[in-house]
Amino acid sequence: MTTDTTTTTEALHRAVRGTVHERGDAGFEAAHSIFYRHLDAVPDVAVTVTSPGDVAAAVTFAVEQGLEIAVRSGGHSGAGHGTVEGGLVIDLSGLADIDVDVERRTVTVGTGVTAGAVTAAAAEHGLAVGFGDTGSVGVGGITTGGGVGFLSRAHGLTIDNVLAAQVVTADGSIHDVDAEHDADLFWAIRGGGGNVGIATRFTYRAHEVGQIVGGLLVLPATPHTVAEAVRIVGEAPEQLGAILNVMPAPPMPFVPETLHGRLVIFALVAFNGAPEEAEPVIARLRGIATPIADLVRPMPYADLFAGEQGDHHPVATSTTGYAREFGVDDAAHVIDVLSAHLADPGVQMTVVQLRPLGGAIGRVPDDATAYAHREWPLMFNVAAIVGEVAQLEAQQGWVEGLAAAIAQGTPGAYVGFSLPDHPEQVHRIYPGSTYDRLAAIKRAHDPGNVFHRNHNVPPAAD
Ligand SMILES: Cc1cc2nc3c(=O)[nH]c(=O)nc-3n(C[C@H](O)[C@H](O)[C@H](O)COP(=O)(O)OP(=O)(O)OC[C@H]3O[C@@H](n4cnc5c(N)ncnc54)[C@H](O)[C@@H]3O)c2cc1C
């Protein structure tokens, strides 16, 4: 939906203390920029909000003007939901407070900060909130989606550590929510994506995480090594978190040149504990095969998030899911399919990312939050990164085919890794009673479906 906003943005200027950016303004680009290049879209107007009152005013303005709303925290949505063609981007980057309460072991943040910024601030006190594997992801998107990362097996998903939140709903009202106040909204904002409102603040429980043993371990990829790596991480003490990427070896200085482009397991590992405790656990991974590169060492947890490329905007397609089992035959199929695409000139990189889960994630009941996939021991992503948008379509078929083979009929998809929505995908993200409860909360708080630029659950019918 687009409208001539040139005369009407005056009302928005008057209503907010933050900055209103219109096409051509200096800050316009930054206020609606997103991670994925192929999903870029240009709004009519963007507003960088600085308070919950600004968010409420922006929502009210958009409703009055009939503008579609996109909510942008870190801009990393794989569906491009952080911006919109025409319409209004509510850019949360001005909600940038980070308050670490060392005594209570809590961290309270504005929802425009990145996971990396929170990690760095908490690390100054030997604390951490578990997010994912990438510092530039916004806390807004990862927290409303679930949050799967290195600390999840030990301490649960990001949402399992949310103690309270502040949420602006479609009527412009501001709610301070927790388990006792507006419990429905509190339930929905933990996993329900942006469906029920805009979170402006989160308070997280933090954990003692200072020095870890972690880093990169590169192993040769064979059906045996891949299946073993998944099994070993899944059975390891919960202090171990690992993300196993089966992918062509990048031309990094510590990878022998003869192996560049050959399939390897590019494993990112983090053991939250002393080196002597970590040693036997990491030794099992090292023992799978002679490592090609072994950079696992005692290090500050926050260093896992350092060294990100600043201005990287890939064009990619991917499919995500969960698996109940992953054995040698599954690994062999992954390797066969990836190998078949190694020489494809249209593809810059292919990867199958395997994330063994379990532990604390599974100890939270499925209906405790709007994330309903706690029983699965493995989450995966299949992705192809290409050079040009026109090359995307050609990759979609095999990416989806491989994902279906890994999932083996297992339903379920993680909202954080899901691509643009279609109804069937939304039901995989929010199965059964989770969908129904979200739809009912949606009817109560957003009957007009103002917040629909997300993996959308429309309001339940009366
Ligand atoms: C490189 C990369 C690595 C990733 N790694 C991980 C990982 O390890 N673990 C993991 O769990 N996920 C991971 N993700 C997925 C990521 O968590 C989701 O894509 C998430 O939505 C991105 O959040 P964002 O704030 O950066 O995105 P945005 O594009 O800014 O927001 C995405 C959507 O989330 C909703 N949203 C954002 N902020 C709010 C808010 N304050 N209130 C209500 N709704 C809001 C809106 O619908 C918004 O459109 C990764 C993504 C990328 C691109």
Side-chain angles (χ1 to χ4, degrees):
M1 194 185 321
T2 58
T3 184
D4 178 8
T5 53
T6 44
T7 51
T8 52
T9 51
E10 276 171 33
L12 185 60
H13 279 279
R14 278 198 305 273
V16 298
R17 280 187 295 145
T19 311
V20 177
H21 311 275
E22 295 175 54
R23 293 187 184 204
D25 289 358
F28 180 69
E29 198 65 34
H32 74 81
S33 71
I34 57 170
F35 182 71
Y36 287 107
R37 180 157 51 94
H38 58 292
L39 298 171
D40 215 3
V42 185
D44 282 338
V45 58
V47 54
T48 303
V49 293
T50 55
S51 67
D54 275 3
V55 175
V59 170
T60 303
F61 169 81
V63 171
E64 283 170 4
Q65 299 298 326
L67 287 169
E68 188 173 10
I69 293 174
V71 179
R72 178 186 179 279
S73 173
H76 277 55
S77 158
H81 286 151
T83 188
V84 60
E85 194 61 40
L88 171 72
V89 169
I90 300 182
D91 164 36
L92 303 173
S93 64
L95 303 178
D97 289 344
I98 302 176
D99 178 22
V100 182
D101 187 329
V102 177
E103 218 162 280
R104 292 193 176 147
R105 293 241 183 104
T106 60
V107 181
T108 298
V109 306
T111 51
V113 297
T114 62
V118 181
T119 303
E124 286 178 25
H125 307 278
L127 297 173
V129 176
F131 294 105
D133 62 358
T134 300
S136 55
V137 165
V139 302
I142 193 166
T143 308
T144 53
V148 184
F150 295 114
L151 302 181
S152 299
R153 297 183 70 241
H155 300 299
L157 304 173
T158 305
I159 50 172
D160 300 333
N161 296 286
V162 173
L163 300 172
Q166 186 175 62
V167 183
V168 174
T169 47
D171 63 356
S173 58
I174 300 171
H175 304 251
D176 286 310
V177 306
D178 59 23
E180 266 101 50
H181 305 92
D182 271 325
D184 267 352
L185 275 180
F186 185 57
W187 176 87
I189 207 74
R190 292 174 298 152
N195 268 296
V196 295
I198 303 178
T200 50
R201 190 180 68 217
F202 287 122
T203 297
Y204 303 102
R205 182 188 304 114
H207 299 275
E208 264 182 51
V209 186
Q211 283 287 112
I212 60 158
V213 176
L216 175 66
L217 182 67
V218 185
L219 296 165
T222 69
H224 168 76
T225 60
V226 174
E228 271 298 276
V230 170
R231 187 183 66 78
I232 287 171
V233 176
E235 291 174 5
E238 292 171 8
Q239 287 148 289
L240 182 73
I243 300 174
L244 309 167
N245 297 290
V246 183
M247 58 187 264
M252 289 173 146
F254 48 80
V255 175
E257 225 174 293
T258 49
L259 296 178
H260 291 178
R262 303 274 293 274
L263 284 185
V264 295
I265 307 174
F266 201 79
L268 293 164
V269 307
F271 184 94
N272 182 25
E276 55 276 18
E277 260 183 294
E279 179 48 37
V281 179
I282 308 291
R284 295 194 67 203
L285 283 173
R286 287 178 171 135
I288 293 174
T290 306
I292 294 165
D294 185 351
L295 280 63
V296 178
R297 64 198 189 286
M299 65 189 289
Y301 171 70
D303 282 11
L304 281 177
F305 300 88
E308 225 175 287
Q309 291 168 6
D311 207 21
H312 176 52
H313 294 284
V315 177
T317 183
S318 64
T319 300
T320 179
Y322 298 90
R324 192 191 309 276
E325 282 168 3
F326 188 89
V328 175
D329 289 350
D330 303 299
H333 186 59
V334 163
I335 289 170
D336 279 353
V337 176
L338 290 185
S339 299
H341 294 277
L342 284 179
D344 185 337
V347 183
Q348 287 182 347
M349 202 186 74
T350 55
V351 57
V352 171
Q353 184 175 78
L354 302 162
R355 297 179 179 230
L357 305 174
I361 300 169
R363 287 195 286 274
V364 176
D366 255 358
D367 62 358
T369 67
Y371 177 95
H373 310 288
R374 293 178 181 275
E375 71 193 277
W376 309 118
L378 184 70
M379 172 190 267
F380 69 86
N381 274 312
V382 181
I385 299 172
V386 298
E388 296 306 326
V389 180
Q391 294 163 327
L392 274 179
E393 209 181 318
Q395 311 306 326
Q396 197 64 45
W398 75 262
V399 166
E400 282 176 5
L402 180 52
I406 299 172
Q408 289 178 40
T410 306
Y414 174 45
V415 66
F417 289 135
S418 292
L419 265 52
D421 42 333
H422 54 85
E424 202 197 311
Q425 175 77 346
V426 174
H427 284 280
R428 289 183 63 214
I429 295 169
Y430 303 115
S433 57
T434 301
Y435 185 96
D436 295 343
R437 187 167 175 192
L438 269 175
I441 297 170
K442 186 82 176 163
R443 182 176 57 195
H445 289 283
D446 184 11
N449 206 0
V450 168
F451 302 117
H452 59 260
R453 202 162 161 70
N454 44 50
H455 293 279
N456 192 231
V457 177
D462 285 329

